[in-house]
mmCIF file of all heavy atoms in Angstrom:
data_model
loop_
_atom_site.group_PDB
_atom_site.id
_atom_site.type_symbol
_atom_site.label_atom_id
_atom_site.label_comp_id
_atom_site.label_asym_id
_atom_site.label_seq_id
_atom_site.Cartn_x
_atom_site.Cartn_y
_atom_site.Cartn_z
ATOM 1 N N LEU A 59 -28.835 41.041 1.262
ATOM 2 C CA LEU A 59 -29.950 41.002 2.212
ATOM 3 C C LEU A 59 -30.757 42.286 2.093
ATOM 4 O O LEU A 59 -30.222 43.380 2.224
ATOM 5 C CB LEU A 59 -29.420 40.843 3.639
ATOM 6 C CG LEU A 59 -30.445 40.691 4.744
ATOM 7 C CD1 LEU A 59 -31.236 39.394 4.554
ATOM 8 C CD2 LEU A 59 -29.762 40.680 6.096
ATOM 9 N N GLY A 60 -32.038 42.134 1.817
ATOM 10 C CA GLY A 60 -32.906 43.306 1.732
ATOM 11 C C GLY A 60 -33.375 43.721 3.112
ATOM 12 O O GLY A 60 -32.776 43.371 4.133
ATOM 13 N N ASP A 61 -34.457 44.483 3.147
ATOM 14 C CA ASP A 61 -35.020 44.946 4.414
ATOM 15 C C ASP A 61 -36.007 43.955 5.011
ATOM 16 O O ASP A 61 -36.518 44.172 6.104
ATOM 17 C CB ASP A 61 -35.715 46.299 4.226
ATOM 18 C CG ASP A 61 -34.726 47.415 3.927
ATOM 19 O OD1 ASP A 61 -33.551 47.278 4.319
ATOM 20 O OD2 ASP A 61 -35.121 48.408 3.305
ATOM 21 N N GLY A 62 -36.314 42.899 4.275
ATOM 22 C CA GLY A 62 -37.225 41.877 4.776
ATOM 23 C C GLY A 62 -38.658 42.301 4.642
ATOM 24 O O GLY A 62 -38.955 43.267 3.975
ATOM 25 N N PRO A 63 -39.549 41.600 5.244
ATOM 26 C CA PRO A 63 -39.305 40.407 6.047
ATOM 27 C C PRO A 63 -38.929 39.209 5.164
ATOM 28 O O PRO A 63 -39.175 39.208 3.967
ATOM 29 C CB PRO A 63 -40.644 40.159 6.748
ATOM 30 C CG PRO A 63 -41.660 40.731 5.819
ATOM 31 C CD PRO A 63 -40.990 41.907 5.156
ATOM 32 N N LEU A 64 -38.347 38.222 5.806
ATOM 33 C CA LEU A 64 -38.000 36.989 5.124
ATOM 34 C C LEU A 64 -39.162 36.002 5.266
ATOM 35 O O LEU A 64 -39.702 35.833 6.358
ATOM 36 C CB LEU A 64 -36.739 36.372 5.735
ATOM 37 C CG LEU A 64 -35.484 37.238 5.699
ATOM 38 C CD1 LEU A 64 -34.360 36.552 6.469
ATOM 39 C CD2 LEU A 64 -35.070 37.524 4.274
ATOM 40 N N LYS A 65 -39.537 35.399 4.170
ATOM 41 C CA LYS A 65 -40.585 34.376 4.192
ATOM 42 C C LYS A 65 -39.951 33.063 4.636
ATOM 43 O O LYS A 65 -38.974 32.608 4.044
ATOM 44 C CB LYS A 65 -41.208 34.202 2.807
ATOM 45 C CG LYS A 65 -41.867 35.449 2.262
ATOM 46 C CD LYS A 65 -43.155 35.712 2.982
ATOM 47 C CE LYS A 65 -43.881 36.890 2.336
ATOM 48 N NZ LYS A 65 -45.025 37.295 3.132
ATOM 49 N N ALA A 66 -40.483 32.474 5.683
ATOM 50 C CA ALA A 66 -39.946 31.219 6.205
ATOM 51 C C ALA A 66 -40.978 30.107 6.033
ATOM 52 O O ALA A 66 -42.188 30.339 6.128
ATOM 53 C CB ALA A 66 -39.592 31.375 7.677
ATOM 54 N N ARG A 67 -40.458 28.911 5.794
ATOM 55 C CA ARG A 67 -41.331 27.744 5.648
ATOM 56 C C ARG A 67 -40.605 26.543 6.235
ATOM 57 O O ARG A 67 -39.473 26.251 5.871
ATOM 58 C CB ARG A 67 -41.632 27.494 4.179
ATOM 59 C CG ARG A 67 -42.588 26.351 3.926
ATOM 60 C CD ARG A 67 -42.973 26.338 2.441
ATOM 61 N NE ARG A 67 -44.111 25.491 2.222
ATOM 62 C CZ ARG A 67 -44.042 24.258 1.733
ATOM 63 N NH1 ARG A 67 -42.882 23.735 1.401
ATOM 64 N NH2 ARG A 67 -45.136 23.560 1.559
ATOM 65 N N MET A 68 -41.255 25.861 7.154
ATOM 66 C CA MET A 68 -40.695 24.671 7.786
ATOM 67 C C MET A 68 -41.629 23.509 7.487
ATOM 68 O O MET A 68 -42.848 23.622 7.662
ATOM 69 C CB MET A 68 -40.598 24.865 9.298
ATOM 70 C CG MET A 68 -40.111 23.677 10.068
ATOM 71 S SD MET A 68 -38.350 23.389 9.995
ATOM 72 C CE MET A 68 -37.729 24.763 10.921
ATOM 73 N N VAL A 69 -41.053 22.406 7.025
ATOM 74 C CA VAL A 69 -41.838 21.208 6.736
ATOM 75 C C VAL A 69 -41.357 20.095 7.654
ATOM 76 O O VAL A 69 -40.172 19.766 7.678
ATOM 77 C CB VAL A 69 -41.695 20.775 5.262
ATOM 78 C CG1 VAL A 69 -42.503 19.515 5.003
ATOM 79 C CG2 VAL A 69 -42.106 21.895 4.325
ATOM 80 N N LEU A 70 -42.265 19.542 8.415
ATOM 81 C CA LEU A 70 -41.964 18.436 9.319
ATOM 82 C C LEU A 70 -42.624 17.178 8.776
ATOM 83 O O LEU A 70 -43.830 17.167 8.512
ATOM 84 C CB LEU A 70 -42.500 18.730 10.723
ATOM 85 C CG LEU A 70 -42.433 17.589 11.724
ATOM 86 C CD1 LEU A 70 -40.983 17.291 12.077
ATOM 87 C CD2 LEU A 70 -43.243 17.911 12.957
ATOM 88 N N THR A 71 -41.820 16.158 8.580
ATOM 89 C CA THR A 71 -42.371 14.867 8.187
ATOM 90 C C THR A 71 -41.982 13.851 9.255
ATOM 91 O O THR A 71 -40.971 14.016 9.939
ATOM 92 C CB THR A 71 -41.837 14.403 6.815
ATOM 93 O OG1 THR A 71 -40.424 14.312 6.872
ATOM 94 C CG2 THR A 71 -42.242 15.375 5.719
ATOM 95 N N LEU A 72 -42.790 12.844 9.386
ATOM 96 C CA LEU A 72 -42.549 11.820 10.386
ATOM 97 C C LEU A 72 -42.718 10.454 9.733
ATOM 98 O O LEU A 72 -43.822 10.092 9.309
ATOM 99 C CB LEU A 72 -43.534 11.991 11.549
ATOM 100 C CG LEU A 72 -43.298 11.192 12.809
ATOM 101 C CD1 LEU A 72 -41.928 11.489 13.407
ATOM 102 C CD2 LEU A 72 -44.382 11.493 13.828
ATOM 103 N N GLU A 73 -41.602 9.746 9.602
ATOM 104 C CA GLU A 73 -41.648 8.420 8.996
ATOM 105 C C GLU A 73 -42.360 7.447 9.932
ATOM 106 O O GLU A 73 -42.271 7.556 11.153
ATOM 107 C CB GLU A 73 -40.228 7.922 8.719
ATOM 108 C CG GLU A 73 -39.514 8.716 7.652
ATOM 109 C CD GLU A 73 -38.116 8.191 7.369
ATOM 110 O OE1 GLU A 73 -37.798 7.050 7.745
ATOM 111 O OE2 GLU A 73 -37.338 8.946 6.762
ATOM 112 N N GLY A 74 -43.079 6.521 9.368
ATOM 113 C CA GLY A 74 -43.775 5.513 10.159
ATOM 114 C C GLY A 74 -45.226 5.868 10.422
ATOM 115 O O GLY A 74 -46.014 5.005 10.787
#
Side-chain angles (χ1 to χ4, degrees):
L59 184 64
D61 292 335
L64 301 174
K65 299 287 186 189
R67 183 172 194 259
M68 177 77 69
V69 179
L70 172 68
T71 59
L72 191 58
E73 293 181 17

